Amino acid sequence: MLKRTIATLLCATAPAALFAQEVELRSLDGFISVAGEIVDFNGTMLSVDTSVGAVSVPVSEVGCYGAGCQDILANNNFGLSASDFVEVVSGDTQQDVATAAATPSVAPATSTELSVNFARPEYDALFRAVAGSYAADPGTNVAVSQSEADEVLTLSSGATGQDATLRLNGDAASDVNVAMTPLTGTAAADFPDVTGWALTGPLTHQMVGLKAFAVIAAPGAGVTSVSLDDIAAIYAGEISNWSELGGADMRILPLQLPAGSDIRAEFIALIMEPAGKAIAGNVLTMADQASIASSVKQFPGSVSVVDLSSVEDNQVLDVAGSCGRSVAPQSFNIAAGDYPLVRPIMARYNTTPSNSLTPRLLDYASSDAVQTSLLDSGFVDFSASELDGTKSSARLSAMMNAQLSDVAKPAAASMFERLFDARRLSPTLFGGATSGAESGWNRAMFQTLAETLSDDTYGGRNVFFVGVAESSDGDQVAIDASGQAASELAAAFSILAGDVIANNDLELSSFGFGPVAPVTCYDGQVAGNTHSRVEIWVR
């Protein structure tokens, strides 16, 4: 496993290429693969001149694959030897991994068996849909078989000699638990930087689906938006009249699903627990979401939180995070994570897989093929989409009339200049140190972004990693943090999607604009004074 160090991403000016032969440096778990010419070695890190520039990797944790490996070992003046690598395999590089895997010098095949538990039956169906689509895609090069009444999935890779067994419908102590995992509240910094979740592992979470809640209110309530804190206070009995929120002088009647229902459990995890509150005992309980949706239209002052697919023709309120910036539950906002009431469905690892087959299967959940197939099941399609050009322009235009500090004004001018003719894509990432849930979100965003940018439509385009941030330590700290986050994420994506970038002639750049033109509250889960997010724009 590659060390979780930002050194993996360091890009520097490389000396002239010393060897004509291209090699592939690949970790045995398959999480990272870098192809190019080795141009430097300092005893620990190899510098490789790739199609996207120079990158560095720790030599002790990669194998050298390709016909050029022996030439490099025989003729280098860096003191590089075969013993420095995990293994050396002469032969083809990425173009024929199967041939390399069949050679005697490849490490023995590994296997792993993981039990999988599902918090809700629909997550079981989601998991099977991902596996079925993965098996049907010839490009995955992994065979997927089912047995024992579909309770066991076996993944087999002929190219690497690896296999993995997934035993479905385990209990809460299973190796993998699939459940709604909030991006609200606070959590530990599972990953100090981007390398762990993007390139090397071991992973803690992977996102396999996305849902969202909507807040519906009775006609005449007199408000168009509420905050997460408002919702928690309403259900805790602390806010009882719409006039307290600037609305009509009307008693609030909150409605909820029964105790023990899956939706109610997710509502508590997403809204009540992060606020440190409990649902009051006098909140009216109804049997199902259809009954709630019907009742909200009829009961004066009523309000409820339901699945986005269950709103019917009710009034839907915008929702704000802690900063008071309201966001509508529209498809782009949900897929971008700008809307606060998103419900990521995460696979959480309690046991680390011993190879990359299971993570690759779950990465496939972010593919367009899977996301499109889930639309009729109440899930939100989070595959990459473009924001309407009018909305992008309106955001930049509004920024020019905003009240900004002297520090932020130059950043605003730069943002306008660089993005005025660009379009924002929906994949949006958490910058800096991330919790396991945030890393799962980020990894899914990387997967869908790579697939979208591989389309001919984006050939020759400029791709901007745009950092935005807020900090209690001031605007300059926010600008610096956003720039660093954008740079690190762009570098990681350059490695993860190097073939996409090269094949489609993409040019990547990164910028940090700090607190300029925010569209949502940047409440990261990892405690700190500064939180950043990174948007993707294309021109």
Side-chain angles (χ1 to χ4, degrees):
M1 189 69 64
L2 294 181
K3 294 183 179 70
R4 276 192 274 178
T5 168
I6 204 65
T8 308
L9 302 179
L10 290 179
C11 294
T13 303
L18 302 179
F19 308 103
Q21 295 277 12
E22 182 181 86
V23 301
E24 180 191 1
L25 304 180
R26 175 161 38 101
S27 60
L28 293 181
D29 58 18
F31 275 112
I32 184 171
S33 175
V34 177
E37 299 173 7
I38 297 175
V39 294
D40 196 15
F41 174 54
N42 63 8
T44 302
M45 306 295 291
L46 279 175
S47 180
V48 185
D49 190 12
T50 74
S51 59
V52 296
V55 299
S56 297
V57 297
V59 66
S60 63
E61 299 183 24
V62 295
C64 184
Y65 297 82
C69 292
Q70 294 299 337
D71 288 345
I72 288 174
L73 292 174
N75 299 298
N76 79 87
N77 58 2
F78 305 133
L80 184 63
S81 68
S83 62
D84 292 317
F85 292 101
V86 173
E87 63 182 2
V88 176
V89 179
S90 297
D92 292 336
T93 56
Q94 296 178 56
Q95 284 68 37
D96 194 357
V97 176
T99 300
T103 65
S105 57
V106 173
T110 60
S111 65
T112 185
E113 181 174 313
L114 300 173
S115 56
V116 185
N117 176 61
F118 303 99
R120 297 179 60 182
E122 67 174 328
Y123 301 159
D124 182 357
L126 166 63
F127 193 93
R128 295 176 194 272
V130 173
S133 183
Y134 189 72
D137 187 339
T140 62
N141 295 317
V142 174
V144 181
S145 59
Q146 304 182 24
S147 61
E148 296 181 18
D150 295 341
E151 293 303 302
V152 176
L153 291 178
T154 301
L155 312 175
S156 301
S157 171
T160 64
Q162 297 175 327
D163 64 88
T165 300
L166 303 177
R167 298 191 177 278
L168 308 185
N169 288 310
D171 55 26
S174 292
D175 301 309
V176 182
N177 284 297
V178 181
M180 193 282 292
T181 307
L183 295 174
T184 53
T186 59
D190 287 337
F191 297 96
D193 55 57
V194 64
T195 54
W197 58 260
L199 303 173
T200 67
L203 305 176
T204 62
H205 295 68
Q206 285 185 272
M207 189 165 82
V208 294
L210 183 63
K211 297 176 77 75
F213 278 135
V215 181
I216 55 176
V223 301
T224 58
S225 65
V226 290
S227 71
L228 294 178
D229 287 342
D230 292 337
I231 301 169
I234 287 171
Y235 276 84
E238 298 171 359
I239 295 177
S240 58
N241 195 292
W242 285 111
S243 63
E244 298 177 63
L245 300 176
D249 183 8
M250 181 184 297
R251 175 174 171 265
I252 297 177
L253 176 63
L255 308 178
Q256 67 176 344
L257 288 169
S261 66
D262 296 327
I263 292 289
R264 180 163 163 179
E266 293 185 359
F267 166 77
I268 291 172
L270 190 63
I271 298 174
M272 303 305 292
E273 288 180 348
K277 301 183 186 299
I279 298 175
N282 60 350
V283 174
L284 183 61
T285 299
M286 308 199 79
D288 52 46
Q289 293 191 94
S291 300
I292 288 177
S294 177
S295 298
V296 167
K297 288 180 288 187
Q298 301 177 47
F299 296 170
S302 58
V303 64
S304 193
V305 178
V306 298
D307 192 284
L308 184 66
S309 60
S310 300
V311 299
E312 296 183 2
D313 57 349
N314 278 286
Q315 175 189 203
V316 179
L317 304 182
D318 296 348
V319 179
S322 61
C323 65
R325 226 169 270 125
S326 297
V327 181
Q330 297 169 347
S331 57
F332 184 95
N333 297 338
I334 294 171
D338 292 345
Y339 179 66
L341 290 182
V342 295
R343 296 152 59 201
I345 314 306
M346 299 275 186
R348 185 185 74 247
Y349 292 98
N350 298 317
T351 300
T352 301
S354 63
N355 62 43
S356 63
L357 291 184
T358 300
R360 286 179 177 176
L361 166 66
L362 298 185
D363 277 342
Y364 193 77
S366 303
S367 67
D368 288 349
V370 171
Q371 290 302 304
T372 302
S373 70
L374 295 175
L375 287 176
D376 293 335
S377 302
F379 291 90
V380 177
D381 180 0
F382 64 83
S383 55
S385 61
E386 279 193 15
L387 182 63
D388 178 79
T390 302
K391 293 181 179 179
S392 295
S393 298
R395 177 181 175 188
L396 296 177
S397 297
M399 173 185 68
M400 301 311 292
N401 298 316
Q403 296 296 317
L404 300 172
S405 69
D406 290 341
V407 173
K409 286 178 181 178
S414 177
M415 186 175 186
F416 185 87
E417 177 183 357
R418 294 186 182 280
L419 302 182
F420 80 93
D421 57 349
R423 292 280 188 91
R424 183 186 172 190
L425 295 182
S426 58
T428 303
L429 306 117
F430 293 93
T434 53
S435 67
E438 290 169 332
S439 73
W441 173 277
N442 281 359
R443 188 175 175 93
M445 294 301 105
F446 262 20
Q447 299 298 322
T448 185
L449 178 62
E451 181 173 6
T452 295
L453 293 179
S454 68
D455 190 274
D456 291 344
T457 304
Y458 291 96
R461 304 279 284 274
N462 295 312
V463 181
F464 302 143
F465 281 66
V466 176
V468 288
E470 292 177 340
S471 176
S472 60
D473 293 330
D475 288 352
Q476 188 59 57
V477 172
I479 292 170
D480 293 343
S482 65
Q484 180 177 350
S487 176
E488 291 175 357
L489 286 163
F493 187 75
S494 294
I495 296 175
L496 182 75
D499 56 339
V500 171
I501 295 168
N503 294 340
N504 226 10
D505 192 26
L506 303 175
E507 181 178 339
L508 267 61
S509 303
S510 63
F511 311 102
F513 303 119
V516 175
V519 293
T520 189
C521 304
Y522 305 132
D523 297 328
Q525 289 190 308
V526 177
N529 295 336
T530 304
H531 291 104
S532 59
R533 282 159 53 94
V534 174
E535 302 173 2
I536 309 299
W537 290 64
V538 293
R539 183 175 65 196

